[in-house]
Structure formats: C-alpha cells, structure tokens
Amino acid sequence: MNCILNTNEQEELLLGYCTAILDPETTRTYKRHLASCEHCRTMVELQKMVDESLGDWLPPTLSENFDQKLFARIRAEQEAPKPWWHFNFGWKPAIPLALAAILLAVFLVREPGKSELAQQQDGIKADEIAEVEKALDDMEALQALSTADTAPAAKESI
Amino acid sequence: MRGILLLFLLAFPLYAQDANSPGLQLIERLNRMTPAERQKMLNRMPPARRQMLEKRINNFNNIRPEAREKLKKDYEFFQQLPPEKRDDARRTLKQIADLPEERRKLVRGAVHNLRRQPDEIRDRRLASRAFNERFNEDERKLIREALAVLPPQAEPTQQ
C-alpha cells in the first residue's frame, strides 16, 4: 500500500482512524499500513496528542448572567444614535447634490465677480460702454437691411 | 450621470449665447433698470455721449417687438461668425450705408427681398439678367456678401 500521506484521502483516513469512525475493513487495512509506515505512525501519534490536549482543555466559565449582559449591550448599541458618517445614504441622494453644485457653478460663471447691484454702484465701465456702442452699431446696420421693405424702392429692386 | 450631462448641454448654450453678446446683454440690463438706476449706472460717462447712448437705446427699444426679436436673432447669428468674418461683414454693411441714397435703398431692398427667398430661387435671381442689369459689379458683390452674413428668413413673404 502506498503511504496515505501521498494520497488525496490522507486527512480523512488519519482523522477517521484516530477517532475510530472508519469501517472495520478500512481500519484493518490502515492498521496493516501503520505497521510498515513509520511516517504514518508518527502522524497518528501527533494527532492523538492533539486530541488528548483538546480533551484536557476547559473553556473559561461564564458568569451566570452572561447572556443577559450580552443582549443588553447589543440592544444599547443598536438604540444609541449613530454619528452621521455611519449612515448609509447610498448613491442616489448624490445626484441632486451634484446637479445643484453644477447649477451653482454655471450661475457663478455667468455672473462672475460682483453682483449686479454692486456693478450699478460703480457705474458702467469704459469697455462695457464700448461693447454697448458696438452692439448698437452692428444692430443698427443690420436693422437698416431688415427694414428695407419700408423703403418705396425696395419692392421693385429685384 | 446622464442627468448631469443633460444639464451641461442645457446650460452651456445659455452661457455661450451671453458670452457672445455682451453688448446686447448690457442693453437688456440697462432696460431692466429704473431711470434713476440707469442714471447712476451711466453717471461716469460724459453727458453728450451718455445722451447719445440713451437715445440709441431708446430707438432700439422703440422697434416693434417682433421686429426687435428678429433683429436680435440676426445679431446673435452675426455674433457667432468668426471675428474676421464679422469685420468683413461690418465693412460690407458700412459700404452699403455709404452708397448714394437711391442706390442704397435699392441694394438694401434687394438684400431684404432675397433673404426671404428659398436658396434655389435666390440663386436664380442672383444669376438673372435683371439682377446684372440693375446693379453694378460692386453692388452685386455687396449684396452677395450681405446675404452671406445674415441668417435666411424662414418664412418667405408674398411679394
């Protein structure tokens, strides 16, 4: 028989043998193998030592009202108000916030700097006057073409 | 994400339009003011220049509302031209304005009427013998250039 430590079933066989849950035929076969395989004998002995140690281990004793205390503490933690960063808002509320931020940014870009009232206090700037006059020049020139139908010669021109 | 993109798309043309027409925007701002507020706003200007400016703004305000809207559209179209084309257009309009009165009326009338025509009819008229006989070479050039800087009018009217 090949050494069980070289097979896939090594763990099940070893544990099964140590806890005496193998069927009689497998137990006999494994015993025969142990007689000739020192490596497996060592593993069985180590496993037995572990089992014995676990048998000797005693869990710490709990106080009588341990469960009561535990549940009281859990309840207290559940009922205590959570700090805001513990709330799970999800991502959906972020959409209106992002839209509001964009609107604000657009508004600030459209109206940079001072408010209309503040600009009114200061009066119109020279370059702004030039802009107004230029716009009026252009619009007057364009208007002259748009109102040509009022001229008597317009209709016969072409 | 789509909502944010949509908002940008909606907001950007508003911003772009205002950025392209600061003069018009200022006129509209002055129009929203009371006379006292406007006075305060223009108080730094020399009196004669201020009076002239106010007169011109009043003339603009006295245009019939629908004609004013049309004019604003023409102006916004004009403002969206590249700066060098805008300067060319200003030169063209100035040259038309400097024509002798009779010729000026005819040229403006031709531009006005041709703008209302569908492309095909307009091209035919521009190539017609009547057009060539009625206008000299310079005038024909001015008419063509003026038509290039003005948006075509959507609804042709009965002539």
Side-chain angles (χ1 to χ4, degrees):
Chain A
M1 179 181 183
N2 290 327
C3 177
I4 59 156
L5 294 178
N6 298 328
T7 69
N8 289 333
E9 310 97 55
Q10 55 166 321
E11 200 175 339
E12 286 78 11
L13 268 175
L14 186 70
L15 291 173
Y17 178 78
C18 292
T19 49
I21 57 165
L22 296 178
D23 60 77
E25 179 56 34
T26 312
T27 306
R28 271 196 298 275
T29 311
Y30 192 59
K31 263 187 181 170
R32 275 202 299 275
H33 171 72
L34 278 177
S36 62
C37 179
E38 193 183 343
H39 194 179
C40 279
R41 274 201 305 276
T42 309
M43 292 302 289
V44 167
E45 276 168 24
L46 287 171
Q47 183 58 42
K48 281 184 176 170
M49 277 170 66
V50 171
D51 289 346
E52 281 164 13
S53 302
L54 286 173
D56 291 343
W57 182 79
L58 291 173
T61 49
L62 299 174
S63 60
E64 278 179 14
N65 58 352
F66 176 82
D67 285 355
Q68 277 176 323
K69 278 184 185 170
L70 177 67
F71 288 119
R73 193 165 162 187
I74 291 170
R75 204 164 36 245
E77 284 205 4
Q78 282 175 343
E79 286 169 3
K82 284 182 184 175
W84 66 268
W85 60 86
H86 279 207
F87 286 103
N88 182 13
F89 291 110
W91 58 271
K92 283 188 178 174
I95 293 174
L97 282 175
L99 294 182
I102 290 165
L103 273 177
L104 184 67
V106 168
F107 178 77
L108 289 175
V109 170
R110 276 165 61 89
E111 295 290 332
K114 290 186 279 183
S115 69
E116 204 163 288
L117 185 67
Q119 285 183 10
Q120 196 180 305
Q121 301 289 337
D122 290 353
I124 200 163
K125 289 178 198 154
D127 59 337
E128 289 178 321
I129 293 167
E131 281 290 348
V132 171
E133 287 174 333
K134 204 162 85 178
L136 287 167
D137 287 344
D138 290 340
M139 284 196 290
E140 283 164 3
L142 291 166
Q143 193 205 357
L145 295 175
S146 302
T147 54
D149 55 346
T150 58
K155 289 196 191 298
E156 294 88 44
S157 63
I158 190 151
Chain B
M1 195 62 200
R2 251 182 288 172
I4 294 167
L5 194 66
L6 186 67
L7 197 74
F8 263 124
L9 291 175
L10 290 174
F12 187 73
L14 290 174
Y15 171 68
Q17 181 181 315
D18 281 356
N20 278 339
S21 320
L24 189 57
Q25 207 190 344
L26 277 164
I27 293 171
E28 284 175 352
R29 210 170 89 200
L30 287 165
N31 280 337
R32 285 197 300 270
M33 293 176 186
T34 63
E37 286 171 339
R38 197 198 273 201
Q39 177 86 11
K40 213 182 240 179
M41 187 84 169
L42 302 176
N43 65 359
R44 284 191 185 171
M45 287 180 73
R49 194 173 168 197
R50 192 179 74 205
Q51 272 179 0
M52 177 57 78
L53 182 71
E54 287 192 288
K55 192 178 162 196
R56 292 175 77 192
I57 292 174
N58 287 340
N59 287 343
F60 172 72
N61 292 338
N62 287 335
I63 300 171
R64 281 178 295 116
E66 63 272 26
R68 195 166 59 227
E69 282 313 303
K70 237 185 238 177
L71 178 59
K72 277 194 204 171
K73 274 187 194 157
D74 283 353
Y75 177 67
E76 277 159 11
F77 180 90
F78 175 79
Q79 284 295 97
Q80 280 166 15
L81 294 171
E84 65 277 11
K85 283 212 165 187
R86 228 181 296 156
D87 288 342
D88 290 346
R90 285 191 184 109
R91 262 194 297 279
T92 301
L93 297 177
K94 173 82 172 54
Q95 282 174 310
I96 293 175
D98 289 344
L99 289 170
E101 190 182 351
E102 204 52 40
R103 299 311 299 169
R104 184 174 66 226
K105 278 182 185 173
L106 285 172
V107 168
R108 282 179 174 167
V111 173
H112 180 73
N113 288 338
L114 287 166
R115 273 181 80 193
R116 300 171 171 207
Q117 307 301 326
D119 289 353
E120 195 189 333
I121 295 176
R122 190 170 61 192
D123 292 345
R124 214 182 302 153
R125 287 195 175 186
L126 285 171
S128 72
R129 197 172 140 193
F131 181 73
N132 284 303
E133 282 176 357
R134 194 157 294 170
F135 299 102
N136 64 36
E137 199 183 331
D138 290 341
E139 289 168 343
R140 290 198 298 269
K141 188 166 172 270
L142 288 175
I143 291 169
R144 286 202 174 88
E145 285 172 353
L147 289 170
V149 295
L150 294 167
Q153 288 190 333
E155 296 164 36
T157 52
Q158 293 286 324
Q159 294 293 302

